[in-house]
Amino acid sequence: MELPLAHLRVLDLLPARHAVLGRLLADLGADVVLGAPRPAARSRYDEVWQLAYDTGKRTSGAASLAELAQQADVVLGTTSSDVPGQVAVSVTEFGLTGPRTDWHGTDAVHLALSGALSRIGVPGRPPLLPPGRLGATVAGFQALWATLV
């Protein structure tokens, strides 16, 4: 059985933090190519995260980045495209414009700003962070939806 996105070629230029988007597209059958090798993980936790979300992707081999971009139906990690019909997807912490563009986002920051942390933990004590990278994973699913639309 052919998967629904088997006809798509995707170039993944996103940082490891947002690698879940490419993984989801690969799980749906897209041919996902990493534009560049990822830097070495800083911890075992980061290494497991990287391995989990780069599964199903292939490396670019000898092809140049420009060549890969020309062949891709979807480019992750860019905001513009010269290829007609190509979908360009950018995932940022606080958008490309606006007062918080330069802010650094972490899962704790995003969960706090969303209000989610106000419902986690014991009243009167600091909130508990959920395990994993919930904020980045949810962002990946939202970016998947936007990409498919």
Side-chain angles (χ1 to χ4, degrees):
M1 180 176 87
E2 187 174 80
L3 292 170
L5 301 183
H7 63 284
L8 284 181
R9 176 168 286 175
V10 177
L11 176 59
D12 187 348
L13 302 172
L14 290 170
R17 174 169 169 70
H18 298 295
V20 66
L21 173 56
R23 167 65 191 265
L24 293 169
L25 290 166
D27 286 349
L28 291 170
D31 176 21
V32 181
V33 180
L34 283 172
R38 301 245 190 248
R42 296 180 302 193
S43 68
R44 283 280 190 211
Y45 182 79
D46 287 342
E47 185 177 348
V48 169
W49 175 266
Q50 195 167 316
L51 288 171
Y53 288 111
D54 280 342
T55 297
K57 301 175 188 179
R58 61 186 179 90
T59 56
S60 59
S64 73
L65 201 54
E67 183 181 350
L68 291 169
Q70 289 295 314
Q71 297 170 355
D73 300 302
V74 177
V75 179
L76 308 177
T78 186
T79 58
S80 63
S81 170
D82 295 340
V83 178
Q86 186 179 71
V87 175
V89 180
S90 180
V91 180
T92 66
E93 300 302 328
F94 290 99
L96 297 171
T97 62
R100 296 182 181 100
T101 301
D102 296 330
W103 282 22
H104 177 69
T106 63
D107 265 19
V109 168
H110 291 295
L111 290 168
L113 289 172
S114 75
L117 292 184
S118 67
R119 299 181 302 275
I120 302 174
V122 178
R125 297 185 71 191
L128 299 172
L129 288 175
R133 295 182 177 174
L134 182 62
T137 302
V138 169
F141 275 92
Q142 290 174 337
L144 172 68
W145 175 82
T147 302
L148 295 177
V149 168

